[in-house]
């Protein structure tokens, strides 16, 4: 459809028109409708319409569990851009708790740790980074999580602990 064409061209406003039209006209095909709501959410997200993105991602997750992790992660990120840290934390915790095999598991843990850190909840940030470091064997976020832990300990006036993290 033209919605996907415009989406691939990064013409998100135009893509939204076609995605909305498809969603309104095709309520029976749940597989396609789920994907349309995901792309509609992506389009809203890309154009900084985060409340609308949340609504679209929620609709997608209600239709199918297939992409629920992606939808939840995008919902959480949208809450972050809306400065709704508590909602972001709740959503990330749901994602992490409900699917440890998700391809977004380490992304969600790292983002959860960062959100705790930003919310001045250092101990929860440390716990979350530890979960990432101890449960995920391969992750591009491991080195970053170690750096964040070292920084937390340093800022807590515990340079010896920070140094052991960095070694």
């Amino acid at each position: 459809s033209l919605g996907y064409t415009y989406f691939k061209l990064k013409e998100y406003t135009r893509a939204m028109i076609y995605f909305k039209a498809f969603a309104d006209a095709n309520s029976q095909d749940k597989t396609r409708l789920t994907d349309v709501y995901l792309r509609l959410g992506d389009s809203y997200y890309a154009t900084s319409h985060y409340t609308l993105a949340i609504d679209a991602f929620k609709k997608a997750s209600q239709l199918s569990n297939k992409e629920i992790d992606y939808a939840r992660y995008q919902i959480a990120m949208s809450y972050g851009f809306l400065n709704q840290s508590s909602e972001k934390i709740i959503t990330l915790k749901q994602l992490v708790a409900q699917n440890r095999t998700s391809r977004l598991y380490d992304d969600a843990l790292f983002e959860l740790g960062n959100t705790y850190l930003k919310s001045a909840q250092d101990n929860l940030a440390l716990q979350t980074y530890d979960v990432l470091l101890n449960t995920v064997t391969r992750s591009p976020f491991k080195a970053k999580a170690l750096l964040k832990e070292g920084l937390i300990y340093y800022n807590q006036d515990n340079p010896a602990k920070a140094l052991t993290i960095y070694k």
Side-chain angles (χ1 to χ4, degrees), residues 15-35:
M16 285 183 247
I17 294 166
Y18 291 96
F19 291 143
K20 284 190 250 180
F22 183 91
D24 291 341
N26 295 285
S27 62
Q28 301 304 313
D29 187 348
K30 291 193 181 217
T31 301
R32 286 189 179 152
L33 192 57
T34 300
D35 191 65

Side-chain angles (χ1 to χ4, degrees), residues 14-57:
R14 284 184 163 173
M16 285 183 247
I17 294 166
Y18 291 96
F19 291 143
K20 284 190 250 180
F22 183 91
D24 291 341
N26 295 285
S27 62
Q28 301 304 313
D29 187 348
K30 291 193 181 217
T31 301
R32 286 189 179 152
L33 192 57
T34 300
D35 191 65
V36 163
Y37 277 122
L38 289 172
R39 298 301 75 82
L40 183 59
D42 288 337
S43 297
Y44 284 133
Y45 186 90
T47 57
S48 302
H49 294 97
Y50 301 114
T51 302
L52 294 172
I54 290 167
D55 292 339
F57 289 126

Side-chain angles (χ1 to χ4, degrees), residues 1 10 14 18 21 43 68-69 72-73 76 84 90 109-112 117 127 130 132 141 151 156 162 165 167:
S1 97
K10 300 182 190 241
R14 284 184 163 173
Y18 291 96
S43 297
I68 196 165
D69 294 343
R72 275 200 184 127
Y73 187 78
Q84 295 179 17
I90 290 167
L109 280 172
F110 187 69
E111 193 60 39
L112 182 58
L117 186 58
Q127 290 172 14
D130 280 340
L132 171 62
F141 298 108
L151 184 63
Q156 289 178 342
I165 295 289
K167 287 185 178 182

